[in-house]
């Protein structure tokens, strides 16, 4: 179950995320659930699969905004790295970064 | 009153348009801002532009994410800032991309909120501050400018002019005031809409002028404009630049008549308002001057105005304290071999306690303008009537004296009663007090004047038409005019006896008066030559330095006594 405690154990910077939600714990947890739904969407994965880097960047950038604001550090780190690579269309191992994101998302949803 | 809006501006929540496609971010900002603002969400650039188009007047601020699906945030910003209707709507950009900041600033974004978001208090404070600043700016925009013409209004104009002085202490400057002659007639002739358009045209020209030459311009009143600019050598070119045609066609010959007053190379130690007062003072001297509608302030104008104000202030005390002295100038009947003292004219002087003897040429025109002349006239009539009575009793002399009746007195329906009261109270008759009415009074609203004069004559007063020949009364009018004597204008006599003597017109005038069986009086007669010629021409009565200057009452009494003995 996703709680402030389990999120802390997971590695999220809960204090920062809560501060951004004006200390509203219920809102914070609700938003974590929301971002989890977004992270489970296939949009980013499909775009990467199809080599549509523009679309992949848009999807990654959008997710990054929410994930970083909620301070979900384990996902935020690979997601930021991926977004920057995509922004500059730098060739790199997008697949590996995406896998880390997927793994950490699964980990989050199984809390 | 549940469910009903309180209809008070102060209780309406200000509106924030949040342009953000990420739902988590939307929710966070709603949580932070929701208590203070009504948050309207747009998830795409297209949606944002539509909301702005429909509701920009009630939006306080736009929070704009740069990475949007469809139209990008930066393009939304560009479109907002390029549309004059929304250009003043403040936009805060939200981005994690610090490189985009400069571009957004150049496009007109007012501030940034970084991503991930800073503490809620920081976000709220930035938005509050931005909305406040933008409202102040809007208030300034609405108040500093005149709504019709877009020029500064007077208060802000003065403020900015004073600021210009701070930056350009040693630059010589001009204060210029100009307005449209009888602007209300333009509204009457062409309609108010066209009148407003004309004002806008003039304002545009003034603005163009200051754009090219430096300086600032304002509309200070209905049809009055002011320009503060660097000193220039001529002002006709400025006037030419500003003038417009009533039909809006600048090539047309008919131009709207304006007048301009300039305080050139203005004294910067004076308040800016005082400098423009001086320009206005100059402008006031050229109302209706069609050929020379530009006046440059000089210090005599200011001195004249100050003197005028002082005289007006001092007038009531002068009446109460009898500072006005009545002088008397004798009039002689010259029809016989020996001139006979037949009457006199009462002439007023002001023995001012501080200024000494003030010439009637200074205060009469002033009091004619502001109506004080009625009080002064009445004072002179009473003083004169009581002297006439006194001379009858003390000197055993019955001498009629003429007094001036000003044009404005003739429009007073109670004039006959007032004069009759004075005559009665003093114990003299209407035949003792002769009334001099200037010819020019007859030319304006002549019917009213003629009927007033008729009613005075009906009461038994005799009327002398003063300054005859100076006005424009047609000769044919003479037959309708109820007068008992014609008093030839002094300047008329002087010009007849100038170096190249030409008395033909004078002779014709006297002849004309004779044919109407009206006696003529010549005033301003100074020499024996003038006296003899006038007598020869058939002039009946003569007044002037040749016989005597106007005398203070004591001297005049001596004059009468000696004359009686002779």
């Amino acid at each position: 179950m996703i709680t402030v405690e389990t999120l802390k154990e997971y590695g999220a910077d809960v204090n920062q995320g809560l501060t951004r939600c004006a200390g509203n714990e219920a809102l914070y947890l609700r938003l974590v659930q929301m971002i989890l739904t977004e992270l489970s969407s296939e949009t980013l994965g499909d775009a990467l699969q199809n080599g549509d880097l523009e679309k992949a960047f848009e999807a990654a950038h959008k997710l990054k905004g929410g994930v970083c604001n909620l301070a979900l550090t384990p996902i935020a780190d690979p997601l930021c790295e991926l977004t920057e690579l995509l922004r500059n269309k730098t060739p790199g191992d997008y697949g590996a970064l995406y896998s880390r994101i997927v793994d950490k998302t699964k980990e989050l949803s199984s809390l | 009153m549940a469910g009903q809006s309180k209809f008070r501006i102060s209780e309406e929540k200000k509106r924030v348009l949040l342009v953000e496609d990420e739902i988590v971010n939307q929710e966070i900002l709603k949580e932070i801002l929701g208590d203070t603002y009504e948050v309207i969400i747009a998830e795409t650039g297209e949606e944002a532009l539509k909301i702005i188009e429909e509701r920009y007047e009630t939006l306080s601020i736009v929070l704009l994410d740069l990475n949007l699906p469809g139209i990008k945030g930066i393009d939304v910003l560009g479109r907002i800032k390029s549309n004059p209707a929304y250009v003043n709507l403040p936009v805060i950009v939200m981005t994690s991309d610090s490189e985009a900041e400069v571009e957004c600033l150049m496009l007109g974004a007012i501030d940034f909120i970084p991503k991930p978001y800073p503490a809620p208090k920081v976000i709220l404070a930035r938005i509050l501050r931005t909305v406040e600043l933008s409202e102040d700016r809007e208030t300034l925009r609405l108040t500093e400018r005149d709504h019709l013409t877009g020029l500064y209004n007077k208060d802000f104009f003065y403020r900015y002019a004073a600021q210009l002085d701070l930056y350009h202490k040693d630059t010589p400057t001009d204060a210029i005031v100009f307005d449209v002659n009888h602007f209300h007639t333009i509204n009457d002739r062409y309609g108010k809409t066209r009148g407003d358009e004309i004002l806008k045209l003039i304002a545009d020209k003034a603005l163009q002028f200051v754009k090219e030459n430096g300086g600032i311009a304002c509309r200070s009143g209905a049809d009055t404009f002011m320009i503060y600019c660097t000193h220039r050598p001529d002002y006709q070119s400025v006037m030419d630049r500003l003038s417009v045609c009533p039909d809006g066609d600048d090539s047309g010959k008919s131009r709207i008549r304006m007048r301009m007053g300039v305080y050139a190379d203005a004294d910067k130690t004076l308040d800016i308002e005082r400098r423009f007062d001086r320009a206005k003072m100059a402008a006031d001297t050229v109302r209706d001057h069609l050929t020379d509608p530009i006046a440059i302030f000089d210090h005599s104008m200011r001195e004249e105005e100050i003197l005028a104000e002082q005289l007006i202030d001092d007038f009531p005390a002068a009446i109460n304290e009898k500072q006005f002295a009545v002088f008397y100038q004798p009039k002689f009947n010259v029809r016989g071999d020996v001139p006979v003292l037949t009457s006199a004219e009462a002439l007023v002087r002001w023995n001012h306690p501080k200024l000494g003897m003030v010439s009637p040429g200074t205060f009469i025109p002033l009091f004619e303008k502001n109506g004080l002349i009625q009080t002064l006239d009445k004072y002179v009539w009473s003083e004169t009537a009581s002297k006439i009575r006194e001379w009858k009793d003390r000197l055993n002399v019955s001498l009629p004296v003429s007094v001036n009746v000003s044009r404005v007195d003739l429009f007073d329906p109670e004039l006959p009663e007032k004069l009759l009261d004075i005559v009665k109270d003093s114990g003299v008759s209407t035949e003792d007090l002769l009334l001099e009415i200037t010819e020019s009074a007859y030319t304006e609203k002549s019917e009213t004047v003629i009927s007033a004069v008729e009613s005075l004559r009906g009461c038994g007063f005799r009327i002398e038409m003063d300054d005859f020949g100076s006005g424009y009364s047609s000769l044919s009018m003479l037959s309708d005019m109820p007068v008992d004597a014609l008093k030839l204008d002094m300047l008329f006599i002087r010009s007849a006896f100038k170096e190249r003597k030409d008395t033909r017109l004078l002779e014709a005038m006297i002849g004309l008066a004779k044919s109407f069986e009206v006696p003529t009086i010549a005033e301003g007669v100074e020499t024996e030559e003038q006296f003899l010629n006038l007598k020869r021409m058939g002039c009946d009565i003569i007044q002037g330095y040749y016989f005597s200057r106007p005398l203070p009452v004591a001297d005049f009494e001596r004059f009468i006594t000696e004359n009686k003995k002779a």
Side-chain angles (χ1 to χ4, degrees), chain B residues 314-378:
Chain B
D314 294 346
F315 181 78
I319 291 284
N320 289 336
E321 294 164 16
K322 293 188 178 262
Q323 289 170 14
F324 290 104
V326 181
F327 280 42
Y328 299 89
Q329 188 171 37
K331 295 181 194 172
F332 280 82
N333 186 322
V334 297
R335 271 177 299 208
D337 293 339
V338 181
V340 178
L341 178 63
T342 180
S343 60
E345 179 179 4
L347 295 158
V348 68
R349 301 284 185 271
W350 187 349
N351 195 1
H352 193 284
K354 287 188 199 126
L355 302 170
M357 208 52 105
V358 183
S359 153
T362 305
F363 62 84
I364 300 273
L366 174 69
F367 295 159
E368 277 175 345
K369 243 191 271 176
N370 61 27
L372 291 177
I373 195 73
Q374 280 189 281
T375 312
L376 182 60
D377 281 347
K378 202 169 165 229

Side-chain angles (χ1 to χ4, degrees), chain B residues 163-206:
Chain B
Q163 275 177 7
L164 274 176
D165 282 349
L166 294 176
Y167 288 108
H168 303 276
K169 280 196 176 75
D170 301 320
T171 309
T173 53
D174 293 335
I176 302 177
V177 170
F178 57 100
D179 66 17
V180 179
N181 279 341
H182 307 291
F183 181 73
H184 61 277
T185 63
I186 291 180
N187 275 339
D188 291 343
R189 287 168 66 196
Y190 302 100
K192 186 164 183 314
T193 310
R194 184 70 200 130
D196 283 353
E197 280 168 11
I198 286 167
L199 292 175
K200 277 192 247 178
L201 276 176
I202 297 171
D204 288 347
K205 290 189 174 224

